[in-house]
Amino acid sequence: MSYFLITIIAILVVILFQKFMQQFNSRGKYENIDAGTFIGLSKEPNTVILDVRQPGEIAEGKIKGAKAINVLAGNFMEEVDKLPKDKTYLVYCRSGNRSGMACGKMAGLGFAKLYNLQGGYGAWLRAK
């Protein structure tokens, strides 16, 4: 094999290993759930719905009772660190990507009961 081919294979192995470790490290920190499960859990006691979208998105509509903390704002970590860690958090954004990121950050702060809405606000609208 040529040096070039060996280098390419080594790079691919490293990339795949990093992807595996990302998935392994994020397991158990939060759970991705569908809109039906999200709606059911939202009726449980000690549950907080957290909208992590930007203010312009929230102005177009939000889930009733949701607390808004923009995950892209510079003070996101400070704001969520003020929240009680013993509650269940249902986190959503527009599509489920930013809310997954928010759940990961919250898990790092010690939050244990975190649920990310797959499909985001749009999925919730279709399910309600």
Side-chain angles (χ1 to χ4, degrees), residues 58-69:
I58 293 170
E60 295 174 6
K62 72 174 201 160
I63 298 173
K64 184 178 179 182
K67 179 169 181 57
I69 304 177

Side-chain angles (χ1 to χ4, degrees), residues 8 11 16-17 25 31 36 46 49 53 67-68 70 80-81 90 93-94 101-103 105 107 110 115 117 127-128:
I8 295 296
I11 290 170
L16 289 173
F17 180 75
N25 288 336
E31 185 177 339
N46 291 324
I49 300 172
R53 297 176 298 158
K67 179 169 181 57
N70 181 0
V80 295
D81 201 30
L90 306 178
C93 64
R94 182 181 52 82
M101 180 174 65
C103 285
K105 289 180 177 188
Y115 297 92
L117 175 58
K128 72 173 189 150

Side-chain angles (χ1 to χ4, degrees), residues 10-120:
I11 290 170
L12 289 174
V13 168
V14 169
I15 290 170
L16 289 173
F17 180 75
Q18 287 175 336
K19 291 283 188 190
F20 171 78
M21 289 308 294
Q22 272 181 330
Q23 288 179 344
F24 179 78
N25 288 336
S26 67
R27 282 188 195 148
K29 291 184 179 181
Y30 67 90
E31 185 177 339
N32 291 312
I33 58 173
D34 63 30
T37 304
F38 185 95
I39 291 168
L41 287 173
S42 71
K43 297 173 184 166
E44 297 291 321
N46 291 324
T47 300
V48 176
I49 300 172
L50 187 61
D51 187 332
V52 297
R53 297 176 298 158
Q54 296 185 46
E57 293 172 293
I58 293 170
E60 295 174 6
K62 72 174 201 160
I63 298 173
K64 184 178 179 182
K67 179 169 181 57
I69 304 177
N70 181 0
V71 71
L72 300 178
N75 65 343
F76 176 77
M77 296 296 279
E78 295 161 4
E79 290 300 312
V80 295
D81 201 30
K82 296 175 188 175
L83 300 173
K85 292 180 176 55
D86 62 340
K87 296 195 180 283
T88 298
Y89 288 89
L90 306 178
V91 187
Y92 76 96
C93 64
R94 182 181 52 82
S95 65
N97 292 324
R98 286 174 288 170
S99 51
M101 180 174 65
C103 285
K105 289 180 177 188
M106 292 174 73
L109 291 174
F111 291 86
K113 300 175 199 162
L114 296 164
Y115 297 92
N116 175 41
L117 175 58
Q118 290 181 311

